[in-house]
Amino acid sequence: MHKITVNGASIAYDEAGTGSPVVLLHAGIADRRMWRGQVSALATRHRVIAPDLRGYGDSELPPAPFTHHDDVAGLLDALDLPRAALVGCSFGGAVAIDTALAHPDRVSALALFDTAVSGNEWSDEANDLWDNLVGEVDPDDFVAGAAGEVRFWVVGPGRQPEDVDSELVAFAQEMDQRALAAELALGAVEVGELTPPAIGRLGELAIPVLVTAGAADVPDISRLADRIAAEVPGAVRLPDVPNAAHLLPLERPEPVNAALLDFLS
C-alpha cells in the first residue's frame, strides 16, 4: 500500500506495472481490495493504480468539503499523470463518469461494470426488491446492514446465498461493514456533487466507453448499462456476464480481465 496527499487528504492506493495508466475505482460497498483479481492481470501492460476513495478503506476523511471526482483528478496530479483510463464498478463507475465530465482532458477512456450514474433514480421495482430481500435495517448496525446489502447486491435477487461462493460473500460482508462505517462518517462532511448530474449528460462523453453488468444483478443496473450504451456515442455494450451480480470484477475476474485488456489496448 502507498499513500499520497490529494487535495489535503491522505489517499491510500495500490500500484503495479508500467505502461499507459489505468485507475480502478471501487464500489460503494467495497474498497480497493475488490480489484484483487485485476491489478496483476492489467499490470502486464499498464501502470495500474487502485485507490481507496476518500473516507473509504485506508484513505483519510478530513473535515473539509470535497468532491470525489475532483479527488480523482487530484490523484492524477499527485502522481504526475496527464491522463488515465478509468475503470469503475457501481459507485466507482459513477465517480469515473463524473470525473470524465468534470475533467474531460484527464480521462482517456471509461470501462464501467455494474455502474451507477449520478442523478439516476431507482425504479419502484428496485425499491420493492430491497423491501422484500432486506427490509428495515438499523443504520448503526454495520453487521446487519452489510449482510442485507450483500444479500441484495452481491448475491442478487435471482439467486440464493448458497448459490454464491461463501468466501466471496464473507469477503464482501467484511468490506461492506467498513464501507458502511465510512459512509456514516461521510454524512458529517460536505460531499459535493456534479452539477448538473451525469444522467442527463451522457451524450457529452467523447471518449471510448465500455459498459457491462452481471446478469444476476438488480435489473435496474442492466437497464442503466443499456441507457449508457444508447446515449454515449460509440459506446461498447458487452452482454451481461452470467453467474455474477454487482461486484462483477471480483466474482468473475477472468472475463472482466479479458474485456479490459482488449478494450484498453
Side-chain angles (χ1 to χ4, degrees):
M1 181 184 72
H2 307 274
K3 286 201 170 184
I4 196 165
T5 300
V6 174
N7 297 334
S10 178
I11 299 297
Y13 67 101
D14 296 328
E15 181 174 350
T18 58
S20 59
V22 179
V23 178
L24 310 177
L25 301 175
H26 62 80
I29 61 171
D31 54 51
R32 73 184 192 281
R33 293 175 293 164
M34 70 158 284
W35 300 108
R36 63 186 186 182
Q38 281 70 52
V39 173
S40 60
L42 297 179
T44 59
R45 302 181 191 174
H46 301 277
R47 181 182 177 186
V48 184
I49 298 133
D52 282 328
L53 294 170
R54 186 187 298 221
Y56 290 88
D58 296 305
S59 290
E60 290 182 344
L61 182 65
F66 77 100
T67 66
H68 287 295
H69 53 271
D70 288 337
D71 271 3
V72 175
L75 176 64
L76 298 182
D77 289 338
L79 295 172
D80 197 26
L81 295 173
R83 300 181 84 203
L86 304 184
V87 178
C89 178
S90 185
F91 175 65
V95 173
I97 296 169
D98 285 356
T99 305
L101 290 169
H103 304 278
D105 57 326
R106 310 304 301 278
V107 181
S108 59
L110 290 173
L112 307 168
F113 298 92
D114 300 277
T115 193
V117 178
S118 63
N120 182 60
E121 295 185 4
W122 297 111
S123 68
D124 291 340
E125 177 191 7
N127 292 327
D128 289 343
L129 281 172
W130 178 270
D131 291 341
N132 293 333
L133 291 173
V134 182
E136 295 290 334
V137 178
D138 182 352
D140 294 324
D141 187 343
F142 298 148
V143 174
E149 289 197 339
V150 168
R151 173 65 186 89
F152 186 78
W153 292 116
V154 180
V155 175
R159 300 190 293 184
Q160 297 300 316
E162 56 268 24
D163 298 329
V164 182
D165 180 75
S166 59
E167 189 276 336
L168 171 67
V169 170
F171 182 46
Q173 288 181 347
E174 187 272 321
M175 284 194 296
D176 195 25
Q177 287 179 42
R178 199 175 184 188
L180 287 170
E183 288 168 358
L184 183 64
L186 282 161
V189 177
E190 183 181 340
V191 184
E193 299 179 353
L194 183 70
T195 305
I199 194 62
R201 302 173 58 187
L202 296 171
E204 296 178 28
L205 295 170
I207 52 176
V209 174
L210 173 77
V211 60
T212 189
D217 204 345
V218 178
D220 272 28
I221 295 295
S222 184
R223 296 184 193 119
L224 193 52
D226 290 340
R227 178 170 178 177
I228 292 168
E231 296 187 15
V232 176
V236 176
R237 171 66 160 104
L238 295 182
D240 290 347
V241 179
N243 304 316
H246 201 58
L247 295 186
L248 170 58
L250 180 62
E251 187 170 8
R252 296 289 309 279
E254 293 84 2
V256 167
N257 294 346
L260 282 173
L261 287 168
D262 181 63
F263 175 69
L264 296 170
S265 68

